[in-house]
Amino acid sequence: MNAEILDELKKLLTRAYAPYSNFKVAAIIRDKNGKLARGVNVENASYGLTSCAERNAVFSFVAGGYEKPAELFLYSETEAFTAPCGACRQVLMEFDPNLPIVLINRNGNIKRVSISELVPLPFGPKDLDDAK
Ligand code: THU
Protein backbone atom coordinates (compact mmCIF):
# COMPACT_ATOMS: atom_id res chain seq x y z
CA MET A 1 0.00 0.00 0.00
CA ASN A 2 1.37 3.42 -0.82
CA ALA A 3 1.04 6.73 1.04
CA GLU A 4 -1.24 8.05 -1.69
CA ILE A 5 -3.89 5.43 -0.96
CA LEU A 6 -3.75 6.17 2.78
CA ASP A 7 -4.24 9.89 2.05
CA GLU A 8 -7.21 9.05 -0.16
CA LEU A 9 -8.71 6.84 2.55
CA LYS A 10 -8.32 9.53 5.21
CA LYS A 11 -10.00 12.10 2.97
CA LEU A 12 -12.74 9.64 2.10
CA LEU A 13 -13.41 8.78 5.75
CA THR A 14 -14.55 12.36 6.41
CA ARG A 15 -17.42 11.78 3.96
CA ALA A 16 -18.83 8.76 5.83
CA TYR A 17 -22.35 9.41 7.07
CA ALA A 18 -22.49 7.71 10.45
CA PRO A 19 -24.41 9.97 12.86
CA TYR A 20 -25.90 7.01 14.77
CA SER A 21 -22.92 4.73 15.38
CA ASN A 22 -20.23 7.37 14.91
CA PHE A 23 -18.22 4.46 13.44
CA LYS A 24 -16.84 5.69 10.15
CA VAL A 25 -15.48 3.36 7.48
CA ALA A 26 -13.82 4.09 4.14
CA ALA A 27 -13.29 1.54 1.36
CA ILE A 28 -11.39 1.86 -1.91
CA ILE A 29 -11.32 -0.75 -4.64
CA ARG A 30 -8.40 -0.43 -7.04
CA ASP A 31 -8.82 -2.03 -10.43
CA LYS A 32 -6.05 -3.59 -12.51
CA ASN A 33 -5.47 -0.25 -14.30
CA GLY A 34 -5.12 1.67 -11.03
CA LYS A 35 -8.56 3.30 -11.18
CA LEU A 36 -10.12 3.80 -7.74
CA ALA A 37 -13.74 3.21 -6.76
CA ARG A 38 -14.74 4.68 -3.41
CA GLY A 39 -17.32 3.87 -0.76
CA VAL A 40 -18.19 5.06 2.73
CA ASN A 41 -20.82 3.80 5.12
CA VAL A 42 -24.13 5.59 4.83
CA GLU A 43 -26.46 5.20 7.81
CA ASN A 44 -30.16 5.91 8.00
CA ALA A 45 -32.66 6.92 10.69
CA SER A 46 -34.29 3.60 9.84
CA TYR A 47 -31.20 1.79 11.12
CA GLY A 48 -31.57 -1.41 9.09
CA LEU A 49 -31.20 0.50 5.84
CA THR A 50 -27.59 1.38 6.59
CA SER A 51 -25.22 0.50 3.77
CA CYS A 52 -21.59 -0.42 4.50
CA ALA A 53 -18.54 1.22 2.92
CA GLU A 54 -17.47 -1.99 1.17
CA ARG A 55 -20.78 -2.61 -0.58
CA ASN A 56 -21.02 1.04 -1.58
CA ALA A 57 -17.52 0.77 -3.09
CA VAL A 58 -18.53 -2.34 -5.05
CA PHE A 59 -21.62 -0.62 -6.43
CA SER A 60 -19.59 2.41 -7.43
CA PHE A 61 -16.99 0.10 -9.03
CA VAL A 62 -19.65 -1.57 -11.17
CA ALA A 63 -21.42 1.67 -12.09
CA GLY A 64 -18.07 3.22 -13.05
CA GLY A 65 -17.45 0.46 -15.58
CA TYR A 66 -14.13 -0.43 -13.99
CA GLU A 67 -12.10 -3.49 -14.96
CA LYS A 68 -11.53 -6.48 -12.69
CA PRO A 69 -10.86 -5.49 -9.05
CA ALA A 70 -7.23 -5.83 -7.99
CA GLU A 71 -7.34 -4.89 -4.30
CA LEU A 72 -9.70 -3.60 -1.63
CA PHE A 73 -8.42 -1.15 0.99
CA LEU A 74 -10.45 -0.78 4.16
CA TYR A 75 -9.80 1.97 6.67
CA SER A 76 -11.27 2.90 10.01
CA GLU A 77 -9.88 5.02 12.84
CA THR A 78 -9.91 2.18 15.33
CA GLU A 79 -7.13 0.30 17.09
CA ALA A 80 -8.50 -3.06 15.94
CA PHE A 81 -8.58 -3.83 12.24
CA THR A 82 -12.08 -3.49 10.80
CA ALA A 83 -12.91 -6.48 8.62
CA PRO A 84 -15.87 -6.62 6.22
CA CYS A 85 -19.19 -7.77 7.73
CA GLY A 86 -20.76 -11.02 6.53
CA ALA A 87 -23.06 -9.39 3.97
CA CYS A 88 -20.17 -7.43 2.45
CA ARG A 89 -17.98 -10.55 2.27
CA GLN A 90 -20.60 -12.21 0.08
CA VAL A 91 -20.88 -9.17 -2.19
CA LEU A 92 -17.08 -8.75 -2.42
CA MET A 93 -16.65 -12.37 -3.50
CA GLU A 94 -18.86 -11.99 -6.54
CA PHE A 95 -16.25 -10.50 -8.89
CA ASP A 96 -13.13 -12.20 -7.59
CA PRO A 97 -13.19 -15.05 -5.08
CA ASN A 98 -9.51 -14.37 -4.34
CA LEU A 99 -9.74 -10.60 -3.95
CA PRO A 100 -6.83 -9.33 -1.83
CA ILE A 101 -8.00 -7.17 1.06
CA VAL A 102 -5.81 -4.67 2.93
CA LEU A 103 -7.09 -3.71 6.37
CA ILE A 104 -5.64 -0.49 7.81
CA ASN A 105 -6.06 0.74 11.37
CA ARG A 106 -5.70 4.24 12.84
CA ASN A 107 -1.94 3.85 13.28
CA GLY A 108 -1.51 2.95 9.63
CA ASN A 109 -0.76 -0.67 10.51
CA ILE A 110 -1.71 -3.14 7.81
CA LYS A 111 -3.18 -6.63 7.80
CA ARG A 112 -3.58 -8.47 4.51
CA VAL A 113 -6.27 -11.08 4.04
CA SER A 114 -8.03 -12.54 1.05
CA ILE A 115 -11.76 -12.79 0.61
CA SER A 116 -11.47 -16.58 0.28
CA GLU A 117 -9.97 -16.70 3.79
CA LEU A 118 -12.90 -14.69 5.11
CA VAL A 119 -15.49 -16.88 3.33
CA PRO A 120 -14.30 -20.47 3.69
CA LEU A 121 -17.26 -22.31 2.14
CA PRO A 122 -18.63 -19.82 -0.36
CA PHE A 123 -21.77 -19.69 -2.42
CA GLY A 124 -21.00 -17.97 -5.70
CA PRO A 125 -21.98 -17.54 -9.35
CA LYS A 126 -20.78 -21.04 -10.31
CA ASP A 127 -23.18 -22.65 -7.87
CA LEU A 128 -26.07 -21.37 -9.97
CA ASP A 129 -24.85 -23.36 -13.00
CA ASP A 130 -26.22 -26.60 -11.55
CA ALA A 131 -29.76 -25.29 -11.82
CA LYS A 132 -29.47 -24.23 -15.47
N1 THU B 1 -19.57 -0.83 8.76
C1 THU B 1 -18.98 -0.73 7.52
O1 THU B 1 -19.26 0.21 6.76
N2 THU B 1 -18.09 -1.68 7.17
C2 THU B 1 -17.64 -2.67 7.99
O2 THU B 1 -16.74 -3.41 7.63
C3 THU B 1 -18.21 -2.83 9.33
C4 THU B 1 -19.35 -1.93 9.66
C5 THU B 1 -20.45 0.26 9.18
C6 THU B 1 -21.92 -0.04 9.23
C7 THU B 1 -22.38 0.98 10.25
O3 THU B 1 -22.61 2.22 9.61
C8 THU B 1 -21.20 1.16 11.19
O4 THU B 1 -20.08 0.66 10.48
C9 THU B 1 -21.34 0.42 12.52
O5 THU B 1 -21.67 -0.90 12.30
Side-chain angles (χ1 to χ4, degrees):
M1 196 208 37
N2 54 32
E4 228 170 88
I5 290 277
L6 187 55
D7 277 357
E8 284 292 326
L9 286 162
K10 285 182 173 172
K11 237 188 289 167
L12 186 59
L13 195 73
T14 66
R15 298 190 199 141
Y17 179 73
Y20 307 107
S21 72
N22 205 29
F23 191 92
K24 295 183 173 187
V25 186
I28 291 181
I29 300 175
R30 192 171 56 76
D31 82 354
K32 64 186 178 87
N33 301 316
K35 274 181 75 180
L36 306 181
R38 295 167 174 79
V40 293
N41 52 330
V42 180
E43 298 187 344
N44 191 272
S46 176
Y47 295 170
L49 297 182
T50 290
S51 190
C52 292
E54 298 91 318
R55 266 175 290 162
N56 289 336
V58 170
F59 303 149
S60 156
F61 186 88
V62 172
Y66 292 13
E67 303 253 353
K68 195 174 160 56
E71 231 172 349
L72 167 80
F73 301 93
L74 196 55
Y75 177 65
S76 189
E77 275 176 346
T78 50
E79 183 68 36
F81 292 108
T82 296
C85 78
C88 288
R89 292 178 191 203
Q90 177 67 25
V91 171
L92 287 166
M93 264 207 4
E94 181 77 15
F95 301 99
D96 181 358
N98 296 308
L99 181 70
I101 299 179
V102 184
L103 309 176
I104 305 147
N105 75 355
R106 68 166 163 233
N107 305 317
N109 295 328
I110 283 172
K111 185 180 171 68
R112 289 178 190 275
V113 287
S114 83
I115 193 67
S116 53
E117 281 173 73
L118 299 182
V119 188
L121 184 61
F123 176 82
K126 285 200 184 79
D127 293 297
L128 296 175
D129 291 346
D130 280 356
K132 283 182 186 152

